[in-house]
Amino acid sequence: MRRISLRSGNGIPFLSFFADSAITVRTCSSFHYSKESISVKDKICVKSSNLDDAVNLFHQMVTMKPLPSVVDFSKLLKNLINRKHYSNVVSLFREIMINSYCLMYRVDCAFSVLPIYLQNGIPFNAVTFTILIRGIFAQNNVKDAVELFFKKLVKEKICEPNQVTYATVMNGLSKRGHTQKTLSLLRLMEQGNTKPNIYIYNIVIHALCKDGNFDAAIKILNEMKQKDIPPDIVTYNSIIDGLCKLGQWEKVKTLFSEMVNLNMYPDVYTFNILTDGLCKEGKVEDAKEVMKHMVRKGIDPNIITYNVIMDGYCLRGQVDRARRIFDIMIDKGIKPDIFCYNILINGYCMTKEVDDAMQLFCEISQKGSKPDVVTYNTILQGLLKLSAGFIPDFYTHGIVINGYFKNGLVEEALSLFNKLEGNREINDIEFYNVVINGLCKTGKLDEARAIFEKLYLIGLLPNARTYNKITNGFCLEGLLDEANDMLRKMEENGILPNFFTYNALVRGFLRCSKITEMTTFMKEMTGRGFSFDATTTELLLEVLRESPSVLDMILDLHSKIMK
DNA sequence: GACGATAGGA
């Protein structure tokens, strides 16, 4: 939890300082993701599309947010292969495959593409490696990223890393707290062929400022000046940000003079940094003056400016005022992002207005955003505040573990599970059901199975839900025989398969296109009075759309069975 | 030409 800093120092003389300076206007560009009117699937299916269309579609697909599934990518490539455009498939790979896999956080897939490079004699270059390294960092796998860099590029010299490669490695390291390693790489560059440029220096200076190591930052600043690489607005913004966060306003003022003397004028980043610094000290009024000033200078406040001011009000417990800023922002045509909601939800939680917090939480998905881990943490914290002395039980832990799995945080989920299991705090089958389900849904069937088989050792009897989760797990992996065995095992142990069991199996058959088996199975299912649920029906319709002949097959088999 | 640096939330 954050508090307003109570550092001394009255009135910040920025406003008078700005008043005389001629600040140039900087337009800021923003990204807009184009809305796809026709789905990717439809586009891929268009058989008449020519080669250029396919290549263009591929380029469009990699820039889409969220990215289309691997299946869609594969379909498009398969389409090209079917039309014998082999060389184009390879070149598409060369251009985008690895990057798109990395963007999808599937570095494993990205590496699986590398043999194609080898087979086709395509040389590795710095760009390929940079993309890979960035992807590995995105998975927070610092060790592998650094190893790839040092082993393949520095030691084996597969290709010469360029400035971007260094920038990527250094940025990856510094963002994860490895400032010293970042600094060492700067020194390595200075001795090597690839000399550091402004980007490299900015990464190092930013890292040092984040650590509050201004002496070192200023030292680097002087070094770059000596090497005739003049600091730019990014350099100054990083240093000013660090100083603002420490409340060193006098030094900030000095740097401002230096900047303006160099004909460098504050941009939207600079103003946001100042606004945030003031808000965090509880000086929202001063922050609003800065905001008015930037408008006068022709720099439009952006979503971050509004968020910073909103957070400033929330920190002082004035969530109503924050809410008014939120409404003003929307009036100005800025679409709130997840930060806006989290700030306001936190504000409501701080004043124990959990009802308002929950109402806002419900608005998030209605307005087209998505709650993230911070949203849930904030609400959890708010709820826990309401119930002082509350002790979590197995159910609470189950909810948290389920939340981890749903958000793809498998390691966190397992770590909490192992901790609780080791403490023998948990002796309820429902808790294990949550873990088994999470593992099955994230493709860790073996681990789910291991836990399932261990249950009797700890004296817990699986219930219908346990069997359903594991059966569904088998079905998701296409292991229909195992799923069927589980169904029979369930019956042997005196637990009747239910609506969910049958639906899981039918979906399994459908996914594997085992129509005959499915139809036979439907007899047993309907015989026991169970029908399809919404998910199964949807899947069935999807299968029928793709191959309408299946319907005849089902009807034919069904009539035979019913005779 | 692709690939890189600065501001906001628990």
Side-chain angles (χ1 to χ4, degrees):
Chain A
M1 197 179 296
R2 294 163 313 133
R3 287 174 196 283
I4 301 171
S5 82
L6 298 172
R7 239 169 261 111
S8 59
N10 338 308
I12 312 303
F14 281 122
L15 304 178
S16 58
F17 183 77
F18 288 144
D20 314 317
S21 53
I23 295 170
T24 50
V25 183
R26 266 195 161 203
T27 50
C28 73
S29 59
S30 55
F31 289 104
H32 295 284
Y33 298 111
S34 60
K35 288 237 162 60
E36 296 297 310
S37 51
I38 311 169
S39 79
V40 171
K41 207 172 274 170
D42 294 338
K43 284 192 178 174
I44 296 168
C45 291
V46 179
K47 286 184 184 123
S48 59
S49 67
N50 62 28
L51 177 63
D52 282 349
D53 286 346
V55 174
N56 285 338
L57 176 58
F58 203 101
H59 280 97
Q60 249 178 42
M61 281 165 72
V62 284
T63 59
M64 280 168 71
K65 297 215 168 177
L67 272 168
S69 70
V70 182
V71 180
D72 288 328
F73 279 103
S74 313
K75 275 184 186 163
L76 179 67
L77 290 173
K78 201 173 159 224
N79 189 320
L80 283 172
I81 291 167
N82 288 344
R83 290 186 282 142
K84 299 191 167 48
H85 293 303
Y86 305 122
S87 62
N88 294 93
V89 173
V90 174
S91 82
L92 274 181
F93 266 152
R94 176 180 156 79
E95 283 205 18
I96 9 186
M97 204 59 174
I98 291 182
N99 195 26
S100 59
Y101 273 134
C102 288
L103 285 170
M104 290 154 86
Y105 298 104
R106 289 298 302 267
V107 176
D108 50 337
C109 294
F111 275 102
S112 70
V113 178
L114 286 181
I116 294 163
Y117 276 63
L118 292 169
Q119 279 164 19
N120 291 280
I122 303 166
F124 294 102
N125 63 17
V127 178
T128 320
F129 275 102
T130 307
I131 298 168
L132 277 172
I133 290 170
R134 197 172 56 127
I136 303 169
F137 270 122
Q139 294 189 323
N140 280 321
N141 191 345
V142 176
K143 199 175 144 268
D144 284 354
V146 172
E147 203 176 278
L148 180 66
F149 176 75
F150 276 107
K151 238 179 157 173
K152 300 288 168 192
L153 301 189
V154 180
K155 250 186 172 168
E156 291 180 25
K157 294 191 165 79
I158 290 182
C159 66
E160 180 89 11
N162 62 18
Q163 289 170 323
V164 182
T165 319
Y166 275 101
T168 306
V169 177
M170 292 167 79
N171 187 41
L173 284 170
S174 74
K175 286 278 159 58
R176 287 159 188 83
H178 301 285
T179 309
Q180 281 313 309
K181 288 196 176 98
T182 310
L183 198 56
S184 314
L185 273 176
L186 173 70
R187 301 305 177 212
L188 185 74
M189 280 187 89
E190 285 168 343
Q191 287 155 18
N193 297 329
T194 316
K195 297 294 177 198
N197 61 4
I198 183 75
Y199 286 91
I200 301 288
Y201 280 110
N202 282 344
I203 292 168
V204 175
I205 287 178
H206 180 240
L208 291 167
C209 290
K210 273 270 181 292
D211 292 353
N213 193 350
F214 293 101
D215 292 342
I218 301 296
K219 202 177 141 232
I220 303 282
L221 186 73
N222 291 331
E223 276 177 32
M224 56 193 285
K225 282 176 186 164
Q226 275 171 15
K227 295 193 176 163
D228 216 24
I229 301 171
D232 65 2
I233 184 82
V234 178
T235 327
Y236 279 99
N237 283 346
S238 290
I239 302 177
I240 289 171
D241 184 43
L243 291 169
C244 281
K245 289 199 163 64
L246 289 177
Q248 303 219 6
W249 299 101
E250 280 307 314
K251 287 191 183 162
V252 172
K253 228 179 102 180
T254 315
L255 272 167
F256 252 93
S257 314
E258 207 176 301
M259 269 173 76
V260 177
N261 286 338
L262 290 167
N263 279 329
M264 234 182 279
Y265 296 103
D267 62 2
V268 67
Y269 282 86
T270 327
F271 284 114
N272 285 345
I273 288 164
L274 289 176
T275 311
D276 186 48
L278 290 166
C279 284
K280 293 290 186 292
E281 290 202 351
K283 293 172 178 147
V284 191
E285 288 77 14
D286 289 346
K288 282 182 88 173
E289 285 303 317
V290 172
M291 192 171 155
K292 279 183 196 160
H293 182 83
M294 64 192 274
V295 175
R296 278 200 295 276
K297 293 294 174 188
I299 298 172
D300 281 336
N302 62 15
I303 191 159
I304 297 177
T305 324
Y306 288 103
N307 282 346
V308 159
I309 305 257
M310 276 163 51
D311 194 43
Y313 277 126
C314 288
L315 285 170
R316 300 204 307 197
Q318 295 170 302
V319 62
D320 291 342
R321 290 194 179 204
R323 183 67 190 232
R324 254 176 270 157
I325 301 288
F326 180 76
D327 294 334
I328 290 171
M329 188 189 86
I330 294 172
D331 284 346
K332 301 245 179 203
I334 298 177
K335 189 178 167 286
D337 63 6
I338 191 63
F339 279 82
C340 302
Y341 289 108
N342 289 345
I343 289 165
L344 273 181
I345 287 174
N346 183 45
Y348 283 125
C349 286
M350 277 169 73
T351 49
K352 297 193 180 177
E353 295 167 89
V354 179
D355 285 349
D356 290 304
M358 290 311 290
Q359 205 184 342
L360 207 57
F361 172 76
C362 297
E363 254 180 51
I364 297 177
S365 20
Q366 285 166 15
K367 298 278 163 72
S369 275
K370 230 180 107 187
D372 64 6
V373 67
V374 178
T375 322
Y376 289 103
N377 287 345
T378 310
I379 289 177
L380 262 177
Q381 200 169 45
L383 291 172
L384 288 169
K385 210 180 249 176
L386 282 182
S387 53
F390 151 91
I391 298 164
D393 64 1
F394 81 86
Y395 210 90
T396 325
H397 292 308
I399 291 168
V400 175
I401 288 180
N402 192 27
Y404 276 137
F405 276 122
K406 288 246 162 88
N407 287 285
L409 301 167
V410 180
E411 271 179 38
E412 285 83 348
L414 286 178
S415 133
L416 180 56
F417 168 67
N418 291 331
K419 195 176 129 204
L420 295 166
E421 205 192 22
N423 291 347
R424 298 185 176 203
E425 281 176 40
I426 304 300
N427 58 353
D428 192 292
I429 186 67
E430 288 305 333
F431 177 78
Y432 282 91
N433 288 348
V434 168
V435 181
I436 288 171
N437 185 42
L439 288 169
C440 287
K441 291 264 172 76
T442 48
K444 305 211 179 294
L445 188 58
D446 288 343
E447 288 168 55
R449 223 168 157 173
I451 294 178
F452 179 80
E453 273 152 20
K454 207 179 65 181
L455 284 176
Y456 85 99
L457 283 176
I458 43 179
L460 282 176
L461 285 176
N463 62 17
R465 273 185 290 273
T466 327
Y467 283 107
N468 288 348
K469 309 284 187 207
I470 201 104
T471 307
N472 193 40
F474 283 128
C475 289
L476 285 172
E477 296 283 314
L479 301 168
L480 298 177
D481 289 342
E482 280 88 342
N484 230 329
D485 289 347
M486 199 49 82
L487 175 75
R488 301 306 159 208
K489 197 170 169 185
M490 184 174 178
E491 285 173 321
E492 279 165 26
N493 290 332
I495 293 164
L496 279 180
N498 59 25
F499 179 79
F500 301 101
T501 331
Y502 284 109
N503 272 287
L505 272 154
V506 170
R507 285 197 297 271
F509 286 127
L510 274 175
R511 266 190 227 103
C512 297
S513 311
K514 302 226 180 236
I515 306 304
T516 319
E517 289 87 336
M518 186 203 77
T519 321
T520 319
F521 192 73
M522 272 169 65
K523 193 190 172 193
E524 182 181 330
M525 183 174 176
T526 39
R528 296 201 182 183
F530 297 119
S531 54
F532 285 8
D533 67 11
T535 323
T536 312
T537 314
E538 210 174 290
L539 186 65
L540 178 64
L541 289 173
E542 206 176 296
V543 170
L544 290 177
R545 257 200 304 274
E546 277 174 23
S547 35
S549 58
V550 168
L551 183 61
D552 295 332
M553 226 173 125
I554 294 175
L555 291 174
D556 187 41
L557 282 163
H558 196 254
S559 63
K560 274 182 197 154
I561 292 165
M562 288 307 165
K563 272 179 204 163

